[in-house]
Amino acid sequence: MFVVATAGHVDHGKSTLVRALTGMEPDRWAEERRRGMTIDLGFAWTTLPSGGTVAFVDVPGHERFVPNMLAGVGPVPAALIVVAADEGWMPQSAEHLAALDALGVAYGLLAVTRADLADPGPATARARAEIAATSLGAVPAVAVSGLTGAGLPELRAALDRLAVDLPVPVLDDPVRLWVDRSFTVRGSGTVVTGTLGAGRLRVGDELELAGADEPVRVRGLHSLGEARPEAAAVARVAVNLRGTPRDRLGRGDALLTPGRFHHTDLVDVRLAGDPAADLPATLTLHVGSAAVPVRVRPLGPDTVRLRLARPLPLLVGDRALLRDPGRHHVSGGVRVLDVAPPPLARRGAAAARAQVLAELDGRPDLAGELRRRRLVRAGALVRMGVPVPTAPGQGRPAFAKPVAGDWLADPAYWRMLAGRLTEEVARHAREHPLEPGMPVDALRQRLALPDRVLVEALVRPPLRIHSGRVGAASTAALPEPVARAVQRVRAEYGDRPFRAPEADRLVDLGLGPREIGAAVRAGALLRLADNVVLLPDVLDDAVRVLAGLPQPFTLSAARQALDTTRRVAVPLLELLDRRGATRRLPDDARIVVT
């Protein structure tokens, strides 16, 4: 299936042509049929000579109903432009074409209707000239009569050729179904319809409703009037939602693949149309089937910032249009450059931002996003529409590998942070010589990092993290007097590793409570109890000595084997018990746990 939207001036025969092609009535309302004028969107479909199917979104042509027309055209990849031979090019022909151009529609046909009432030549020539100057370029033209049927076979053949030219839809893309109708079916509940432009839907799928917190589930699917277990793009679909009230959603809402879209009320865009400086302060943004008032802030000659009245699920590269409803004027098409732009709080920020935007083309660029954002979660980029490779090897450049968790970093910025972290730790050591290192949270704040895991990922030898602080991994990080005192302990007790200096000897060595605390935190000493310290590498030796005793062994036997005092032996054995190296038995004897 492929989907085509009609376009053209009121009363030029769009609905008549769809009716003649499909045998279906596109006008859904009794008032439309009574007045002979399309007011809202209509839908019909038919099988082409090739066996393929074309579905039509029939739009109203009157200027009062342009918002309805834009809701139908927005998600559709191709257009059937209708011009009457007896009236030729008219104001709404021009506005509809301007809308198609603004949205970047690149595929279409020209149908010159009422060819039985007037020579179609002049109308065809004028219309093709107007269309050629837009994104559609040169389009095939067919003269037809919905009344007599003349030209309909040629139009069907042209539609078949158009289908071949359309790009292949990406079925692995996330779903973003813009809702153009919502209604209730007795016994089934809420049903919404829309044009599925990418991805696929299945019965049972869980989706997000844009702007709502709760998920919604697909109870049933219809396409071309038939129930289906699955629908793949491009297709007109009707989705029956389980347990979702009718008043929860309507035209302009969207059903989304969970976790794949960024909901934003602030975007930076490039404008094609009126100069940015000439835009009024408020306009209406049309994207998909949504129409949202926006406040406009010009940044550069062709770039503006839009503040949306409500958040929308937008992606980098999305096409939309700005319209002035008061003047019935399409101000221009926009291409979304950034869906999470930085604030413009400081003087000169807008001019600087304009320079950045001047280099963007609306095509998602991972390396560029990292360069501009410096640090960002991979999931956040995906929700902005920036693909992040996950497969290792050639499909995944080095800068796409997370530095911590799912955080990605610009390589140059990450190297700068590593250098700054080393400088901050050294500065802290100079200012606080008796502290074992700089607290991780203090480093996070000093480096303006959003997550402490980033600090931990930046730590490299000879630095280490110990007890929530970052410092050197050896006594070299200790103040010189403390490091010298530790060396004297090692010199005096190296051959008697299970003997501990007495309290007065510690004082003589210059090891008071603060100095001992600093040495213990740096891993230079092992504290067993108050004023009972050993060198840090004695535990394995103690276990080896104790394992050589007859098992189980007593405290006295352990003290004698270790050549130490009860003052040391008791807390040493208790520490080995806690670490699981020894086990204390009910009679207070112990065994070495092998």
Side-chain angles (χ1 to χ4, degrees):
M1 184 197 311
F2 74 104
V3 183
V4 175
T6 62
H9 194 75
V10 63
D11 201 30
H12 274 204
K14 295 184 294 297
S15 298
T16 300
L17 184 59
V18 170
R19 197 177 297 116
L21 284 168
T22 67
M24 302 175 68
E25 176 56 68
D27 288 337
R28 296 179 291 116
W29 308 116
E31 183 181 358
E32 292 178 305
R33 292 190 287 272
R34 178 177 59 80
R35 296 172 60 180
M37 182 177 71
T38 300
I39 297 172
D40 204 354
L41 302 178
F43 309 96
W45 59 89
T46 189
T47 301
L48 295 172
S50 66
T53 301
V54 58
F56 293 97
V57 179
D58 187 34
V59 308
H62 197 282
E63 66 177 3
R64 286 188 295 159
F65 306 121
V66 167
N68 290 347
M69 174 266 179
L70 293 173
V73 168
V76 174
L80 176 62
I81 302 170
V82 177
V83 176
D86 57 337
E87 291 191 355
W89 196 253
M90 296 290 283
Q92 290 312 118
S93 308
E95 186 171 11
H96 283 202
L97 180 61
L100 296 173
D101 184 37
L103 292 169
V105 177
Y107 301 91
L109 293 172
L110 169 63
V112 180
T113 57
R114 301 182 189 169
D116 56 320
L117 300 181
D119 178 8
T124 301
R126 170 71 187 278
R128 294 190 71 177
E130 297 284 349
I131 296 168
T134 70
S135 59
L136 286 153
V139 297
V142 180
V144 297
S145 169
L147 182 63
T148 68
L152 290 181
E154 291 79 5
L155 182 56
R156 289 190 177 95
L159 287 166
D160 254 336
R161 291 191 294 272
L162 176 63
V164 173
D165 293 337
L166 290 175
V168 177
V170 183
L171 300 184
D172 293 334
D173 271 6
V175 167
R176 179 174 50 174
L177 181 71
W178 293 101
V179 174
D180 50 39
R181 276 196 303 162
S182 65
F183 50 91
T184 300
V185 174
R186 185 183 299 275
S188 296
T190 300
V191 176
V192 300
T193 67
T195 300
L196 181 64
R200 62 175 76 238
L201 283 170
R202 298 179 179 88
V203 173
D205 280 354
E206 185 175 278
L207 303 172
E208 287 180 355
L209 174 58
D213 293 333
E214 316 94 53
V216 297
R217 191 169 294 279
V218 177
R219 180 182 182 181
L221 280 173
H222 277 71
S223 184
L224 305 182
E226 295 181 3
R228 301 175 187 267
E230 175 181 308
V234 172
R236 285 293 304 173
V237 294
V239 185
N240 181 201
L241 299 174
R242 186 188 307 276
T244 304
R246 161 69 179 81
D247 58 3
R248 289 291 306 281
L249 73 173
R251 179 172 294 174
D253 289 320
L255 297 177
L256 313 169
T257 298
R260 295 298 302 271
F261 292 88
H262 179 70
H263 298 82
T264 181
D265 63 356
L266 191 69
V267 292
D268 288 346
V269 303
R270 170 157 290 113
L271 176 70
D274 297 346
D278 294 343
L279 294 179
T282 59
L283 290 168
T284 298
L285 179 73
H286 294 267
V287 57
S289 62
V292 178
V294 296
R295 294 192 63 83
V296 180
R297 179 176 181 177
L299 298 175
D302 64 346
T303 53
V304 297
R305 174 161 292 186
L306 303 178
R307 172 74 69 176
L308 282 64
R310 65 179 176 92
L312 291 177
L314 299 180
L315 301 173
V316 172
D318 275 345
R319 299 294 296 261
L321 69 84
L322 290 171
R323 184 172 182 267
D324 186 342
R327 294 190 297 149
H328 302 288
H329 172 66
V330 174
S331 298
V334 299
R335 192 174 186 94
V336 175
L337 303 178
D338 195 339
V339 296
L344 303 176
R346 291 186 289 182
R347 187 179 184 88
R353 181 62 177 167
Q355 292 180 348
V356 172
L357 296 178
E359 300 176 357
L360 305 184
D361 59 6
R363 286 180 290 188
D365 171 28
L366 177 58
E369 290 292 339
L370 291 180
R371 194 164 52 248
R372 289 184 291 275
R373 299 181 189 279
R374 305 196 294 188
L375 276 171
V376 62
R377 290 184 182 276
L381 287 176
V382 169
R383 289 190 294 274
M384 296 176 198
V386 180
V388 178
T390 57
Q394 295 181 350
R396 185 178 189 178
F399 58 78
K401 182 180 179 181
V403 295
D406 70 338
W407 286 99
L408 299 175
D410 172 59
Y413 182 64
W414 191 247
R415 289 192 295 270
M416 183 276 290
L417 284 175
R420 279 199 58 201
L421 180 137
T422 301
E423 293 170 1
E424 291 293 342
V425 171
R427 180 193 59 77
H428 188 273
R430 290 192 301 270
E431 295 176 358
H432 307 277
L434 295 181
E435 292 187 10
M438 188 170 181
V440 169
D441 279 332
L443 263 173
R444 183 186 64 78
Q445 294 175 17
R446 189 64 63 89
L447 298 177
L449 294 175
D451 195 328
R452 63 178 288 140
V453 300
L454 294 167
V455 178
E456 296 167 356
L458 285 166
V459 175
R460 296 286 186 272
L463 298 180
R464 69 166 187 167
I465 300 176
H466 182 70
S467 300
R469 291 174 176 263
V470 180
S474 70
T475 56
L478 291 170
E480 184 178 347
V482 180
R484 188 165 55 247
V486 170
Q487 288 301 113
R488 291 177 66 183
V489 170
R490 186 172 291 278
E492 291 186 20
Y493 294 90
D495 57 348
R496 297 177 296 163
F498 305 111
R499 295 275 181 162
E502 298 291 337
D504 56 351
R505 183 55 183 152
L506 290 172
V507 173
D508 292 342
L509 292 170
L511 290 172
R514 294 185 67 195
E515 290 79 8
I516 291 175
V520 169
R521 287 188 292 266
L525 291 176
L526 173 68
R527 190 203 306 269
L528 296 180
D530 288 343
N531 289 328
V532 181
V533 296
L534 298 177
L535 295 171
D537 46 5
V538 301
L539 294 182
D540 290 342
D541 290 339
V543 172
R544 193 160 43 249
V545 170
L546 296 174
L549 293 173
Q551 305 291 310
F553 57 87
T554 64
L555 171 62
S556 177
R559 180 183 62 75
Q560 294 178 35
L562 295 171
D563 186 23
T564 189
T565 64
R566 182 182 179 86
R567 169 176 167 266
V568 174
V570 170
L572 176 58
L573 289 173
E574 290 175 346
L575 176 60
L576 293 175
D577 290 344
R578 291 194 298 272
R579 295 196 173 189
T582 59
R583 185 168 79 245
R584 188 173 181 175
L585 303 177
D587 61 355
D588 287 339
R590 286 177 169 83
I591 60 173
V592 173
V593 179
T594 57

